[in-house]
Structure formats: structure tokens, C-alpha cells
Amino acid sequence: SAVISQKPSRDICQRGTSLTIQCQVDSQVTMMFWYRQQPGQSLTLIATANQGSEATYESGFVIDKFPISRPNLTFSTLTVSNLSPEDSSIYLCSVDPGTGVGDEQFFGPGTRLTVL
Amino acid sequence: GENVEQHPSTLSVQEGDSAVIKCTYSDSASNYFPWYKQELGKRPQLIIDIRSNVGEKKDQRIAVTLNKTAKHFSLHITETQPEDSAVYFCAASSGYALNFGKGTSLLVTP
């Protein structure tokens, strides 16, 4: 499986500011995903990040709040903008290292965000 | 969109007993069903998955069964050990995006 790292591992931010999270993979992957996991909850897909095209956002998530970049096949960033305490969550990237539909997804270690 | 229901939300078993977690899904187009284990403070780890052309898959003490007609799938853990204690998530996908169940907190007591 791919080796996935995220930066930062955790951060405490003031409301109204933004946080950019980086996701790095040790091999080229077509599909990268960003999830949110609120405290004690399940994982919710924010968006799918494809290299060379705009990210595809899930219902309830918008580009202005969660801008995503995917400059190459090994790297992506998620920015959480205009932070509020409700944004306090763990943000995880995942990758699908396969070439077909329905392949496995592997998760990064997550970024724990606390908004004061 | 896809809706995945997972039961029970908590499960406590004695070491050595079996544990069963069940999930149902709504989208008949779903064709990929992974299970993830998440220990406290850790990332979700893929432990087993099944595709729609298979009814059962086993890997040592864990197995997954799929009933496409009824649109449900289950995780079976036999001979449970304390290190099996974690939150388990099922998911379903008809494409690239995974839709997760709410999770089952499994506690295995010695």
C-alpha cells in the first residue's frame, strides 16, 4: 500500500483564520480524497481531488470554504477557510492507488484541527 | 445518494467469542464494500473488503459476507482478542467515493 503523510498532524487556530493541510504520497496516484471526521463520528467525504482538473465536492461542502489543490500525482492540499469552532475535526486524506473502479483506499494519519 | 446503516453502534464480547457487525446499503449500484478498523487516535485501516461478484471472503479470523439481493453485508470476527478492540466502519461504493456507516465500537474483555 502507499505511504501517506499529512502536515500538520495537529493545529490550534483562531476563528476567522484558515488552515492549509498537506497530503503527500510516496507514489503517483490518480485519485485522492479528503474526508472530515468530527469527534466520535464517522468519516464524511468532502471532495475528490483529481490532478489537472477541479475538485469534485460532495453535497454540503463548497469550494469557497474548502479549496483544494492537486498540482501533481503525489500531492494535494486542503484549505479550511474562515474557521469556526464547528470546523474542529480530524481531516484525513486518502488515496486510491489502483487503476479500476472500486479499488482500495488508504488513509493518511489525519490532521487534528481545533478552532478556538 | 448512498445511505449506509451500521449496527450495532457498540458491541462488547468476551475474549474468544465471535463478533458480528452488520451493514445495509441503499444504492443497488454499489459494488465495493470495505471494512476499516480505527484504533483510538489512529487512522482507519483497511482490514478486508468484498466486491459484488463474491458472496463471502475470509482472511484468518475475519470474514465478510455479502447479500446483494437484500443489500446487506456483515463482518465476522472469530476468536476475538483484546487487540481487536476498536471502532469498525463499513463502507459502500458504486464508484470511487466511499460512503461510511456510523461505526461500531467493539470492546473485547479478557
Side-chain angles (χ1 to χ4, degrees):
Chain A
S1 63
V3 177
I4 309 163
S5 60
Q6 282 184 237
K7 289 182 182 179
S9 59
R10 58 178 62 226
D11 207 341
I12 301 173
C13 299
Q14 296 296 321
R15 90 176 48 215
T17 63
S18 299
L19 177 70
T20 296
I21 303 167
Q22 300 178 5
C23 180
Q24 180 77 52
V25 191
D26 69 340
S27 58
Q28 293 185 341
V29 296
T30 304
M31 308 296 294
M32 294 182 77
F33 307 87
W34 287 98
Y35 288 84
R36 181 175 72 185
Q37 187 173 29
Q38 295 177 303
Q41 303 296 313
S42 184
L43 294 92
T44 301
L45 180 65
I46 297 171
T48 302
N50 301 322
Q51 195 267 336
S53 64
E54 292 289 326
T56 304
Y57 289 84
E58 297 300 302
S59 177
F61 298 96
V62 295
I63 188 172
D64 289 347
K65 176 69 174 177
F66 299 98
I68 287 170
S69 76
R70 182 79 200 274
N72 57 52
L73 291 174
T74 64
F75 187 79
S76 178
T77 67
L78 169 73
T79 299
V80 189
S81 303
N82 189 24
L83 290 168
S84 69
E86 293 71 37
D87 295 320
S88 297
S89 288
I90 298 173
Y91 293 86
L92 302 109
C93 66
S94 76
V95 304
D96 174 358
T99 56
V101 172
D103 282 338
E104 301 93 333
Q105 283 189 32
F106 300 98
F107 284 86
T111 296
R112 183 180 294 271
L113 169 61
T114 301
V115 183
L116 302 178
Chain B
E2 175 68 276
N3 182 43
V4 179
E5 299 279 344
Q6 183 172 347
H7 300 279
S9 57
T10 61
L11 180 59
S12 182
V13 300
Q14 292 267 334
E15 181 178 2
D17 288 349
S18 295
V20 180
I21 303 169
K22 299 182 179 181
C23 289
T24 60
Y25 61 98
S26 61
D27 187 352
S28 56
S30 291
N31 56 12
Y32 176 62
F33 308 91
W35 286 88
Y36 287 84
K37 174 184 180 182
Q38 188 175 33
E39 297 176 29
L40 191 63
K42 302 287 184 64
R43 75 186 80 187
Q45 296 275 10
L46 178 67
I47 58 171
I48 196 167
D49 57 13
I50 192 167
R51 301 180 193 277
S52 58
N53 58 346
V54 176
E56 183 173 359
K57 184 177 178 180
K58 190 173 182 180
D59 182 3
Q60 299 183 354
R61 295 187 298 107
I62 60 174
V64 57
T65 59
L66 171 66
N67 183 327
K68 282 208 71 180
T69 302
K71 287 192 267 186
H72 68 70
F73 57 111
S74 300
L75 178 72
H76 304 252
I77 307 174
T78 59
E79 300 172 26
T80 53
Q81 303 166 2
E83 49 266 40
D84 294 329
S85 296
V87 179
Y88 291 81
F89 292 100
C90 65
S93 172
S94 60
Y96 296 104
L98 293 177
N99 296 282
F100 284 86
K102 293 189 182 299
T104 296
S105 179
L106 173 64
L107 177 64
V108 181
T109 54

